[in-house]
Amino acid sequence: MKNLLLIVLINFSVSILRAQNPIGLPQIVNYSNTTYKGGIQNWDIQQDKSGIMYFANNEGLLTFNGRYWKLYPLPNKTIIRSLKIDTGGRIYVGGQDEFGYFYPDQNGVLKYTSLKPLIPAKYRQFSDIWDIVILKDQVFFRTVEKIFQLKDKAIKVYPSNEIWDFIGKVNDQLYAQIRGKGLFWFKNGAWQIINEDSNLKYNTITAILNYDAETTLITTLKSGIFLLKDHVLTKKATNADNIFKNDRIFCAIQLNNEQFALGTTSAACIIIDKNGNVLQKFSYDEGLQKNNIRSLFIDYDQNLWLGLDDGIDFVAYNSPVKQIFPDKNKQVTGYSTRIFDKTLYLGTSNGLFYSPLSPGIKDISYSKNYFQEVKNTKGQVWSLNEINQKLLLGHEDGAFIIEKNNGIPIYSNIGTWLFEAVSSLYPSSGIISGTYNGLHSIEFSNSKFTDKGTISGLSEPLRFVHYDQSSNTVWASHPYRGVYKLELSSDRKKIIKQHLFTKKEGLPSTLNNFVFHIKNRIVIATEKGIYEYLPQKNEFIPSDFFKSVFKNNPLQYLKEDNDGNIWFVSNNEIGVVDYQNATKKTPFTIVHFPELNSKLVAGFENIYPYDEENIFVGANKGIYHINYLKYTHNVKKLNVLLTEVTLFGKKDSIIYGGHTSGNIDAIPVKIKNSLNSLRFEFSSTLFEQQNNIEFSYQLEGFDKNWSDWSAKSEKDYTNLPYGTFSFKVKSRNNLGSETSPVTYTFTILPAWYQTNIAFVIYFLLIVIFLYLLIKWQAKKHIKAQQQLKKLHQLDIKKSESEIIQLKNEKLESEVNFKNKELAITTMHLAQRGKLLLRIKEDLYALQKPEGNEKNSEKIKSLLKLLDETEKSDNDWSQFSLHFDQVHNNFLGTLKQKFPHLSQNDLKMSAYLKMNLSSKEIAQLLGITIRGVEVGRYRLRKKLNLSSEVNLFDYLLQVTNLK
């Protein structure tokens, strides 16, 4: 029962605080342990000079640089309970039975150094380090049993018989609490008691903060808040005291000179001012992951970080963009907004809600009143228009006039999109509304609206309408058909003429055309920029006036504010053309709001620019509020960090870890050629603008130009050649701020075959190769010369051979000719001898008969003459001459060798060499065949030839005999 009562009291107190919450909630980002890959609990939070966040996590030291999380466990894998960073960049951490510090090595990688060896031996066993305080050149570590003081690389121990409950610092003064004794401060190297009030003896202190120059604010775990002035303790009353009676203040921080944040164990985070007023509450209802807060931290940009019992939450506490939920339980879609009669009205998908505005507040998001539902407006609200000082509601059930908290129907059963006054001079006697079924007429008289029925002539749904008073014409667009020009009758009861403009009449497309009245012009927002009507040609053309602003970008929504700025939506992204802030090149500045990208209601966009501090934007969840004045003046220092450089390939290795207090480009970095693939990661610690930040990078020595701006926060380079490179990265946001580039220089070493020694070897090898080549060429040249000479000699020999051959052929021809002559001569001699022999035989026959002596004498005389003829040497002389020419002076050689040979012997030899038969020889010699055989025998004898030697063969070789 007691526990039930406690829960009821806590819930009641929380409901009271919720009523005190501003209607606008800042951006809240949830980081679960599955996101940061660490333990669920986060006990302490710090930020270093570069903006990197550090969290004391159950599993180690957790870091976050805006894009990447990293976990550094302690050697004994213990929970880190406490965390502090000194001015030199040392990150002191405390865990169970362990404390020390992380510090980057020369490559920017955090390395842990334990301080436990400095502790006197008998004190080296201890429990958790719950608090760390840095006081000038000293660092204090608190456990429940003792306090360790680190100074000049030595540790002094302050043990206590009681429990050290707390240690903290305010205005360079160190305070500590001992349970049962009270509050102490550290003076002249000793702990001196300053207050023994019972509230400080038995109530655990959770924070000591600066209240003013003379006063300190003290929060306790179970008894609320106290003020300490001149060593006197007084209770501080707040609007949250009912919660503090039943809940615990686990941690607290000072946000600024006027505000404090309190972290509780079940009521989440409560913001109070010095007077104890609750200004804001952040809990599960507002978007936190848990209500149990373990740690709080305000960063350099006044954003709030919450370490939870399960996760980490980021609250853009100082953000100019906030979200308004008229019904937090349902988080309905927001379609329209209007401030009327000091009341904020929000039209949603589930009705119309209103909240009276808190007086004296310029930024309406800080108004603290409840939202309530307007009666009779349940259902889809499309628009809110103020006409004739009356608030009109376009609803799915018709048209309503809103009076106080009640919706009064003007007409029903026809869904209504919007309203247009027919006169710019108020009060306007007539109103035209665009409905689900065409145009509708409303009359205004005696401060009352009267339904005049449908304007006949067109029954299409018309959601975008503008009335042109000068021509009694309505311009209306249908998103799928085109743009209508509707001329009305004088009594506005019917459409007397209408024309539908499509692609044929100049529009870039029949689809997605929207009618608006901007800068006193009727314009059409299209898929390719803004178009205007050209009456001379009765067609639409691209607007010259808006061409320099929107170019050919697709537009779905336009709204002009009281300062002449144009708010627009393009592809579900919102921006504003700010004519109050000109640039050197244009008379305007275009500002985009990436925080709202993809959060608008596509097709039903709505922007309500009430004034420069209050811009309301319809969204898929509630309404967004933009304090545009604060947005443009909330210029925070944009930075860019190179967070990690990794070699990747077979095994990834970090060569730069992102943590350094010096110039990261000062240390020369040399990388093996085999590890020439690198990944660069970069970020910015402007946490509340992460969606706005873009990066551009260049690898000098490799990339010719800077990359295009992009939200991408990493870049890989593979297979880089050897040489020295400088990676440069810079960042910018949507307000045009741009950082100077951060540079990281490194050298890819050449491979062994690319080193100077290798090149010397290559040079020597080339020289040797050239030398050998020259020698080879010379040798080849000599050989070629010899070959040429040889070929020349061969040519000469060939020429001589050819000459000899020709001579031989000539000789052979001559020999053949001589042989022919010799043969002819031989044949002639043979024929003559044969003829003479025959004549002789005939003469001998004639000589035999007797009685003819006279004839006989004559025959004898003839026979004698024939014998003399046969013995004549004239024919032989001619024959021997020819024979010796043909047979290489055969007869002369034979005669010289055998001078005793007779003429007949020579003839016999010649005829035998000619291989004549015995018969032919006999005829030539005028002897018998037997005489030839005898002559042969005699010749053998004279030649001294044995019987084994062939006479013919011997005679063939006569010219070769020596």
Side-chain angles (χ1 to χ4, degrees), residues 164-183:
W164 290 95
D165 271 330
F166 173 81
I167 188 172
K169 181 184 73 170
V170 176
N171 297 329
D172 290 332
Q173 178 60 60
L174 188 64
Y175 295 89
Q177 181 190 27
I178 299 178
R179 186 177 299 178
K181 292 185 177 181
L183 184 65

Side-chain angles (χ1 to χ4, degrees), residues 46-65:
Q46 290 287 292
Q47 186 178 29
D48 68 13
K49 292 179 180 179
S50 63
I52 297 174
M53 300 300 301
Y54 298 84
F55 304 87
N57 185 265
N58 273 10
E59 295 183 8
L61 176 66
L62 186 65
T63 69
F64 181 53
N65 55 38

Side-chain angles (χ1 to χ4, degrees), residues 603-757:
F604 296 92
E605 299 84 359
N606 181 268
I607 301 173
Y608 175 51
Y610 179 69
D611 59 30
E612 61 182 358
E613 294 186 72
N614 297 282
I615 312 295
F616 298 89
V617 181
N620 48 26
K621 290 185 179 180
I623 300 286
Y624 278 95
H625 176 276
I626 303 173
N627 186 328
Y628 184 61
L629 181 64
K630 184 178 180 180
Y631 195 98
T632 54
H633 288 79
N634 194 19
V635 180
K636 297 178 181 178
K637 186 178 180 180
L638 179 66
N639 68 339
V640 61
L641 301 178
L642 184 61
T643 58
E644 191 170 275
V645 181
T646 307
L647 303 176
F648 66 93
K650 293 183 180 179
K651 184 178 180 181
D652 291 358
S653 59
I654 297 173
I655 59 173
Y656 176 67
H659 300 272
T660 181
S661 57
N663 182 9
I664 66 173
D665 203 31
I667 302 173
V669 179
K670 296 183 178 180
I671 302 169
K672 292 181 180 180
N673 189 270
S674 59
L675 302 173
N676 60 348
S677 295
L678 291 86
R679 173 180 293 114
F680 297 90
E681 295 179 356
F682 34 89
S683 70
S684 173
T685 56
L686 196 58
F687 297 102
E688 73 273 26
Q689 293 188 21
Q690 286 300 307
N691 292 333
N692 306 13
I693 297 173
E694 295 178 319
F695 301 94
S696 180
Y697 49 81
Q698 179 187 32
L699 184 60
E700 202 170 70
F702 186 80
D703 294 330
K704 293 182 179 179
N705 302 304
W706 285 84
S707 70
D708 294 334
W709 289 100
S710 160
K712 182 181 178 183
S713 59
E714 64 179 28
K715 174 60 180 177
D716 292 348
Y717 289 94
T718 58
N719 298 320
L720 290 173
Y722 75 89
T724 298
F725 305 91
S726 291
F727 180 78
K728 297 182 177 182
V729 61
K730 56 187 178 180
S731 64
R732 73 174 185 183
N733 60 15
N734 61 323
L735 296 177
S737 298
E738 183 177 319
T739 66
S740 299
V742 171
T743 303
Y744 181 81
T745 300
F746 61 96
T747 299
I748 301 289
L749 297 175
W752 63 266
Y753 52 83
Q754 296 171 322
T755 61
N756 291 333
I757 295 175

Side-chain angles (χ1 to χ4, degrees), residues 882-929:
H882 286 297
F883 188 86
D884 274 348
Q885 288 179 351
V886 173
H887 294 282
N888 199 17
N889 198 26
F890 172 79
L891 294 175
T893 301
L894 190 64
K895 181 69 176 173
Q896 183 179 1
K897 189 170 181 61
F898 302 100
H900 56 279
L901 293 177
S902 65
Q903 182 119 334
N904 284 333
D905 293 334
L906 293 174
K907 288 181 180 181
M908 177 67 71
S909 299
Y911 294 151
L912 287 172
K913 187 173 179 62
M914 290 177 67
N915 203 19
L916 298 179
S917 65
S918 297
K919 184 178 180 181
E920 291 173 333
I921 295 172
Q923 290 177 350
L924 290 172
L925 292 178
I927 59 176
T928 64
I929 294 174

